[in-house]
Amino acid sequence: MSLLLSIYNKFLNKLPNFDGVPALLLRLYLAPVFIMAGFSKTQLLNEEVSGIASFMADPNIIAWFGNSDWGLGLPFPALLANLVILAEFFGGWLLLVGALTRLISIPLMFTMIMAASTVHAPNGWFAITPTNPDTSAAKMMTWIGFEQAEASLENSIQTGNRLEKMREIIAENGNTDWLYEKGNIVVLNNGIEFSATYFIMLLALFFIGAGRYTSVDYYISKNLLSNNKPNFK
C-alpha cells in the first residue's frame, strides 16, 4: 500500500508540469469557432470592399442587429456589430496564441450571453433536436422533477415523426446513397446549447488562464514581468 501511495504522490507531483495542456486544448477548440464567427460578419469576402473597411461589419449583419421585425432589434447596431467582430475575430486569434486570454474571455463571454438570450433562448436548450425521447438528456431532467423537460420529450417525439417522414420522401424521390454519403439528416433546433458550452469553456479559461508553457501569456509573465510576478499563465 505504501508503494502505491508513493507512486501516486510522485504522479501528482508531476502533474503541474502538464497543467497547461487543458487550457491549450480549450483555446484550440474555441479559437476557430470565434475567428470564423467574426469573419462571417465582416466584408472580407466582398471583392468590392478593400482595406480597413473590409474588416467592418457587413451591412446585412448591421441590418439584422438593428431590425426589430426579423432581427435582434438592438440599439446602435453598427457599433455593436463591429464590437462583436472585434471580440470574435481578433479575440479568436488572441485565444489561439494565448495572449491576453483572461481579458479577451470577458467580452467573448458577454457575446455568448447576448447570443443565448437574444437568438437562441426561444428555442430551448438543444442545438440539434433529439429524436428519441428515451435517450434524450431531457429524460434525466424528468427524473429530478424538472417539469419543462416533459415538453422537450414531446417535442422529440414530434420531431422524430417528421424526420421519419422526411426520410420516406427522400427514399421515394432521391438517391439515398449519395444524399446520406456525408451524414444523416437532423433537425436544427438552434437552442442555447452551444452558446452555453462556449461560455463555460471561456469561464474556465478566465479562471485558469492560458496555460503554463503553452501560451504567450505564460512567457510574458515569466520573462517580461517577473519583477512584479503577476499571474498570467
Side-chain angles (χ1 to χ4, degrees):
M1 179 63 72
S2 60
L3 177 62
L4 289 176
L5 287 175
S6 176
I7 294 173
Y8 181 64
N9 286 329
K10 289 181 180 179
F11 170 72
L12 291 181
N13 290 334
K14 294 292 185 181
L15 279 182
N17 294 320
F18 303 95
D19 64 8
V21 174
L24 173 63
L25 295 179
L26 287 173
R27 288 171 23 232
L28 293 179
Y29 187 103
L30 288 169
V33 172
F34 286 115
I35 289 171
M36 295 313 299
F39 178 83
S40 67
K41 296 177 178 69
T42 68
Q43 301 181 82
L44 286 168
L45 294 178
N46 188 342
E47 296 179 354
E48 298 179 357
V49 181
S50 61
I52 297 298
S54 62
F55 288 92
M56 305 299 286
D58 184 279
N60 293 324
I61 296 295
I62 295 174
W64 179 63
F65 267 59
N67 193 289
S68 58
D69 294 327
W70 48 266
L72 302 180
L74 298 174
F76 312 110
L79 175 62
L80 290 178
N82 282 291
L83 286 176
V84 169
I85 290 172
L86 187 65
E88 291 183 338
F89 184 70
F90 296 102
W93 290 106
L94 291 175
L95 282 181
L96 185 64
V97 299
L100 304 177
T101 303
R102 284 191 169 100
L103 292 178
I104 196 58
S105 293
I106 296 171
L108 287 174
M109 283 190 287
F110 183 73
T111 62
M112 291 301 95
I113 293 172
M114 291 300 297
S117 60
T118 61
V119 179
H120 304 292
N123 302 318
W125 171 260
F126 293 107
I128 296 174
T129 307
T131 55
N132 184 348
D134 293 329
T135 57
S136 170
K139 184 77 171 181
M140 184 275 293
M141 300 303 291
T142 65
W143 298 343
I144 59 176
F146 196 68
E147 296 180 359
Q148 289 86 341
E150 293 290 351
S152 178
L153 295 179
E154 178 60 30
N155 185 61
S156 292
I157 295 172
Q158 296 297 326
T159 303
N161 293 337
R162 287 163 172 77
L163 199 58
E164 186 59 34
K165 187 63 178 178
M166 293 179 202
R167 294 193 182 101
E168 292 176 4
I169 294 172
I170 291 173
E172 292 173 1
N173 301 279
N175 181 346
T176 53
D177 290 338
W178 180 78
L179 289 170
Y180 293 144
E181 183 180 8
K182 301 301 182 181
N184 211 336
I185 58 173
V186 297
V187 175
L188 179 66
N189 188 59
N190 204 25
I192 69 169
E193 183 177 5
F194 288 161
S195 296
T197 301
Y198 299 152
F199 175 86
I200 292 169
M201 296 170 74
L202 288 164
L203 186 64
L205 284 176
F206 177 77
F207 281 101
I208 68 177
R212 187 195 302 254
Y213 308 130
T214 63
S215 66
V216 171
D217 284 344
Y218 170 78
Y219 293 102
I220 291 176
S221 176
K222 180 180 179 181
N223 298 322
L224 300 181
L225 302 173
S226 58
N227 291 335
N228 295 324
K229 297 183 180 180
N231 183 12
F232 285 121
K233 72 173 184 174

